[in-house]
Amino acid sequence: MKSKYAPLVKLKKKSLDNTERSLISANNELSSASTKLHHAYEDLSRMMLPTQGSIGEFTQAAAIIHAQHLTIEECKNRLQLAEQKQVQARERFKQAMIDYEKFKYLEVQEMNEHLKLLKAQEDKMLDEIGTITYKREIL
């Protein structure tokens, strides 16, 4: 039995699947950004300024540490952006799930109404058959 809501349910299911994929992508992006930030902090913790040597070595080490701080700031910004994308993707997924469930519910309700109608028709037919059989037995 095909419901008038079946095409809408199919469309909403496709939309739900797309938003689920984008949510998974956002989660992966967040995980990747978090890992990059963690590695940037680890790299920074391994860096040390030289205690001896020329001023050139000291300047070079300071520039590398400064660059690592800039990398950390960039990773923090990427992480923050990834978190925002994840929140947005989660909201879109939640809304798509609600839309899908609405139309799925309407489809089930329509099918139940159709089943009730069929049941009523079947009951009528059985009553008619019973009445006909009863009249034949009397005659």
Side-chain angles (χ1 to χ4, degrees):
M1 181 184 99
K2 195 99 171 165
S3 165
K4 67 180 178 183
Y5 294 106
L8 290 172
V9 169
K10 188 175 180 181
L11 182 69
K12 293 300 179 179
K13 177 65 173 157
K14 190 180 280 189
S15 173
L16 178 64
D17 291 342
N18 288 339
T19 55
E20 184 177 18
R21 278 192 292 278
S22 70
L23 178 59
I24 289 169
S25 174
N27 287 340
N28 290 340
E29 191 176 325
L30 179 64
S31 176
S32 174
S34 177
T35 302
K36 285 180 183 178
L37 180 62
H38 180 69
H39 288 304
Y41 274 122
E42 284 180 355
D43 290 345
L44 181 63
S45 70
R46 283 186 248 122
M47 293 180 185
M48 295 179 9
L49 289 174
T51 55
Q52 302 176 31
S54 69
I55 190 72
E57 290 175 0
F58 179 79
T59 305
Q60 184 181 13
I64 291 172
I65 290 173
H66 178 70
Q68 190 63 26
H69 280 290
L70 292 177
T71 302
I72 288 173
E73 285 302 314
E74 183 181 329
C75 287
K76 283 181 180 179
N77 290 337
R78 283 185 183 169
L79 181 65
Q80 187 178 29
L81 183 62
E83 287 172 345
Q84 290 172 352
K85 283 183 180 180
Q86 184 202 36
V87 167
Q88 291 171 353
R90 193 180 305 129
E91 287 300 314
R92 283 193 307 271
F93 177 75
K94 198 184 313 181
Q95 188 60 45
M97 178 65 88
I98 290 170
D99 287 345
Y100 172 72
E101 290 295 327
K102 279 182 200 175
F103 285 104
K104 189 71 174 168
Y105 175 78
L106 289 172
E107 182 181 39
V108 168
Q109 291 302 314
E110 184 180 15
M111 287 181 174
N112 286 340
E113 288 297 318
H114 186 70
L115 288 175
K116 282 181 186 177
L117 180 64
L118 289 176
K119 177 81 170 142
Q121 288 174 348
E122 182 184 20
D123 288 345
K124 268 186 184 178
M125 286 177 57
L126 289 175
D127 285 346
E128 272 185 49
I129 292 172
T131 303
I132 292 170
T133 306
Y134 179 73
K135 285 183 181 179
R136 281 188 185 169
E137 288 177 3
I138 293 177
L139 296 176

